Amino acid sequence: MKLVIVGGVAGGASAAARARRLSEDAEIIMFERGEAPSFANCGLPYYLGGVIEKRRRLLVARRENLEGWYRLDIRTRQEVTAIDRQAKKVRVRNLESGEEYEETYDKLILAPGAKPFRPPIPGIDLPGVYSLRNLEDVDRLHEVVTGGARKAVVVGAGFIGLEVAENLVHRKIETHVVELQPQVLPPWDREMTLPIAQALEENGVRLWLGDSVVSIQRKPYGNQLEVELKSGERLTADFVVMAVGVRPESELAKEAGLELGINGTIRVDVHMRTSDPDIYAVGDVVEVVHVVSGKPIHLPLAGPANRQGRIAADHIFGRDSQFRGVQGTAIVGVFGKQIAATGLSEKLLRQLEMTYEKVYVHPYSHSTYYPGAQQMSLKLLFDPQDGRILGAQAVGGEGVDKRIDVLAMAIQAGMTVFDLEESELAYAPPFGSAKDPVNMAGFVAANVIRGDQPVFHVEQLTDPLPSDLFILDVRTEREFATGSVPGAVHIPLHELRQRLSELPRDKRIVVVCNVGFRAYLATRILLQNGFDAANLSGGYTSYVQMRGPYPGLEEMRSVQSWHS
Ligand code: FAD
């Protein structure tokens, strides 16, 4: 068996290593256009910021080990330029010597990844405008950030843009982030991203949200660039980093006539086999199926790429491994805050017109009596009929990752919110709570389905309020004084039983507290006394996350001027 692999990083290197573990006899050739196989793309922003100090740390699987341990024929700085499917050959260009040659294959795995999208903005090809994908890119940027640059504009507030922004701040570079959508991390639900936007601003990153770059020009004097935004703002920068998403590198497949999927991806079956049974494709270049929606998507993430590489190799060597699909589990952290998600977001559920219900909880990372507990916000999306978990997002300090990982496994296992009530999770005061945030989300969601706790959502609080709604705030006097839902009447929880006569019986009472727990108790009192009551999910904390000012938007700019 002669196996040829195009692309030698996440998907390609995983496939090569797995192939060797399954076959001592196979000839395995791995072509990589760049200078090194199997480097850590995900670590690039942290090397830029000096968090990863040594460049060699980015070379996760060393070439000598890949060659020595796995007996791989690794050909770096060599680009596959064409596939001849009839003759089962690839055409290769040696980027050092310019020499071209052909290599035959029995089976071919395409793992070419995805390239940064470069929108057709005037000035995008000017020196000083970068993107970040590989070691060559990071070397160029590293030279700039360590060479005295003081101001940067990052275009795009996705996870790569935000990681780059954080790391530029570590290098004491004044950093502006421009994003077309009115939020950071656009695929995620906006209210969950507010703490991340706040952390960025608190640490000096200037956000320009709901805005876009219309041109980049060289300043008449000196080497600086001027970035013109649609809003008319002009930002001065020593350099610009474009991070506005990626596009699959599917040109080889397209020219070879392989079937393509959405957004120019390569279509594959569960074994990662393309429309040609001798050609497989894995990683950022392929179309995948979302396990919750059942719909095809493009999800360029490292976990799926690595798993798919193994599956392709398995199938080539006679095993029936199948890729289960993706569920979009992802995490990003900036300045000590983490945000993570799994499954479908509320945005996507709406777009797909799927029926869902949601709850918000705001628990702590571990027992509050043990020092250092950090609050998180956890949003759980589920099927209101059978309780199947559809998605979850969490944002906060430590412990966000662990909860989303638990929920990711719950989604993969097809679990319901009732299973979350019963989940037995590791607990001691420094690590969690006897009722873990995952249990809490399960309790609240299960209460909603059982009818023990009807929920009301912030977006249902229209202005003006419907006349059949009555807002009741059950927090303390002091909490109420700091702000509440407009029009709320205040009766603290401990006085509620004595003051029921003050409440209307012909209206729906929406109960508000800080995070939803006291409102749950109040809702139970009211329901058992014959009132129509519902809990404002997530309480005043969720209200502020949805309705409060979001840094970087136009209204904020009117009070603060960040002109360069
Ligand atoms: P890649 O790892 O991109 O490898 C493809 C390789 O193929 C490239 O090196 C390319 O040079 C080579 N190639 C392409 N065409 C040819 C050709 N014709 N001939 C020869 N070689 C070719 N994902 C996460 O899940 N978490 C993260 O935190 C995260 N952080 C990231 C940070 C950055 C800065 C970047 C750029 C990506 C990050 N990702 C992250 C995404 C993750 O790196 C990718 O999903 C993953 O690397 C995809 O693997 P792949 O094998 O499909 O492609």
Side-chain angles (χ1 to χ4, degrees):
M1 162 78 73
K2 182 172 176 184
L3 174 61
V4 168
I5 300 174
V6 182
V9 188
S14 293
R18 178 71 173 168
R20 175 57 73 224
R21 289 194 291 270
L22 297 178
S23 169
E24 265 302 301
D25 305 327
E27 182 184 357
I28 305 172
I29 305 174
M30 190 166 78
F31 291 105
E32 170 51 51
R33 189 171 54 199
E35 63 162 79
S38 195
F39 67 91
N41 341 42
C42 310
L44 299 177
Y46 304 98
Y47 171 61
L48 200 57
V51 180
I52 297 172
E53 288 179 23
K54 301 221 166 11
R55 185 183 186 274
R56 63 181 157 75
R57 306 283 301 171
L58 296 171
L59 306 174
V60 266
R62 302 193 140 271
R63 185 180 185 130
E64 50 272 29
N65 289 346
L66 289 171
E67 288 170 338
W69 297 356
Y70 295 96
R71 200 163 47 81
L72 303 178
D73 179 351
I74 299 172
R75 303 193 193 168
T76 49
R77 299 286 296 140
Q78 304 209 23
E79 182 172 23
V80 173
T81 55
I83 305 167
D84 180 343
R85 287 169 55 197
Q86 270 65 45
K88 294 180 74 171
K89 285 192 295 203
V90 291
R91 181 141 200 90
V92 184
R93 183 182 303 132
N94 183 325
L95 299 175
E96 297 294 343
S97 64
E99 174 209 356
E100 296 216 3
Y101 64 96
E102 289 179 339
E103 195 67 66
T104 58
Y105 64 83
D106 295 317
K107 297 284 181 190
L108 177 66
I109 299 180
L110 301 177
K115 55 179 174 243
F117 176 54
R118 295 191 55 100
I121 298 169
I124 191 151
D125 294 323
L126 282 173
V129 182
Y130 303 91
S131 13
L132 182 59
R133 177 186 184 185
N134 52 34
L135 290 167
E136 291 83 351
D137 294 336
V138 86
D139 286 343
R140 281 189 284 268
L141 268 167
H142 196 266
E143 204 181 314
V144 174
V145 302
T146 54
R150 290 177 44 245
K151 289 184 177 187
V153 171
V154 176
V155 187
F159 75 90
I160 294 180
L162 296 193
E163 287 174 356
V164 167
E166 181 196 28
N167 281 288
L168 294 181
V169 171
H170 290 331
R171 293 283 188 186
K172 309 232 173 318
I173 290 175
E174 182 190 314
T175 304
H176 299 247
V177 174
V178 183
E179 167 58 53
L180 184 66
Q181 300 298 323
Q183 66 169 88
V184 298
L185 299 167
W188 305 26
D189 292 334
R190 184 173 181 271
E191 74 281 10
M192 303 305 289
T193 65
L194 177 71
I196 298 295
Q198 287 169 336
L200 288 160
E201 287 251 326
E202 280 160 21
N203 286 279
V205 176
R206 310 295 193 223
L207 295 174
W208 300 90
L209 303 179
D211 212 337
S212 56
V213 174
V214 290
S215 76
I216 305 170
Q217 288 155 35
R218 187 150 291 286
K219 287 230 173 197
Y221 305 104
N223 284 326
Q224 286 190 310
L225 299 167
E226 185 169 82
V227 181
E228 186 190 351
L229 307 189
K230 195 170 178 199
S231 59
E233 197 70 34
R234 288 170 184 275
L235 306 172
T236 299
D238 296 307
F239 66 101
V240 174
V241 183
M242 298 299 302
V244 290
V246 296
R247 297 289 181 270
E249 278 213 49
S250 54
E251 293 79 6
L252 274 179
K254 192 174 169 192
E255 278 158 27
L258 297 177
E259 190 182 336
L260 298 184
I262 55 161
N263 303 337
T265 49
I266 303 175
R267 181 155 291 158
V268 287
D269 66 11
V270 289
H271 306 296
M272 308 312 298
R273 203 169 35 178
T274 68
S275 52
D276 180 328
D278 293 319
I279 305 181
Y280 291 68
V282 301
D284 284 1
V285 79
V286 299
E287 176 187 79
V288 283
V289 172
H290 198 290
V291 290
V292 182
S293 69
K295 305 266 190 236
I297 61 161
H298 179 216
L299 188 82
L301 287 178
N306 279 277
R307 300 202 304 281
Q308 291 161 0
R310 284 172 60 91
I311 287 166
D314 272 6
H315 197 251
I316 288 168
F317 291 98
R319 302 199 176 191
D320 187 34
S321 303
Q322 300 190 8
F323 186 63
R324 294 183 182 181
V326 296
Q327 51 190 84
T329 308
I331 184 163
V332 56
V334 287
F335 303 112
K337 284 263 181 263
Q338 309 174 2
I339 182 165
T342 187
L344 295 176
S345 63
E346 186 175 4
K347 264 184 200 169
L348 262 177
L349 284 162
R350 276 208 198 133
Q351 261 175 39
L352 295 167
E353 297 181 358
M354 287 173 69
T355 310
Y356 68 92
E357 182 52 281
K358 62 173 176 175
V359 293
Y360 296 90
V361 290
H362 303 280
Y364 281 80
S365 52
H366 59 249
S367 303
T368 46
Y369 60 79
Y370 186 89
Q374 295 177 18
Q375 196 172 20
M376 70 179 78
S377 297
L378 175 56
K379 175 178 185 177
L380 186 67
L381 296 142
F382 54 95
D383 185 314
Q385 300 303 319
D386 60 12
R388 185 169 73 105
I389 304 160
L390 302 174
Q393 291 171 46
V395 61
E398 63 173 37
V400 159
D401 51 348
K402 141 165 145 173
R403 274 58 190 220
I404 288 298
D405 279 347
V406 169
L407 290 164
M409 289 309 297
I411 289 179
Q412 189 170 144
M415 288 184 176
T416 67
V417 299
F418 307 109
D419 295 310
L420 300 186
E421 290 186 291
E422 290 301 322
S423 299
E424 188 170 306
L425 303 169
Y427 162 63
F431 307 105
S433 302
K435 287 179 194 153
D436 190 86
V438 170
N439 299 125
M440 293 302 297
F443 294 144
V444 176
N447 279 341
V448 172
I449 295 181
R450 291 192 191 106
D452 290 341
Q453 185 196 193
V455 270
F456 199 84
H457 295 298
V458 172
E459 54 272 32
Q460 293 173 276
L461 293 170
T462 51
D463 184 17
L465 272 182
S467 56
D468 58 350
L469 275 192
F470 181 92
I471 313 295
L472 173 67
D473 191 317
V474 294
R475 294 176 300 162
T476 61
E477 192 80 50
R478 191 192 282 181
E479 287 172 305
F480 185 66
T482 63
S484 184
V485 175
V489 170
H490 179 232
I491 301 179
L493 177 61
H494 64 274
E495 294 175 15
L496 184 62
R497 287 187 181 88
Q498 293 75 52
R499 295 175 60 184
L500 291 177
S501 59
E502 296 173 33
L503 298 174
R505 291 200 173 266
D506 58 345
K507 293 190 179 193
R508 178 150 224 224
I509 302 175
V510 176
V511 190
V512 187
C513 69
N514 214 24
V515 295
F517 180 62
R518 280 169 291 172
Y520 166 47
L521 304 181
T523 307
R524 293 300 304 152
I525 294 171
L526 294 175
L527 289 173
Q528 291 179 70
N529 279 280
F531 290 92
D532 175 12
N535 187 344
L536 185 74
S537 186
Y540 191 58
T541 305
S542 284
Y543 180 84
V544 170
Q545 285 175 354
M546 288 208 195
R547 296 277 169 94
Y550 195 105
L553 288 175
E554 201 55 52
E555 59 264 28
M556 296 293 288
R557 277 181 222 151
S558 57
V559 287
Q560 296 176 6
S561 178
W562 294 318
H563 295 249
S564 46

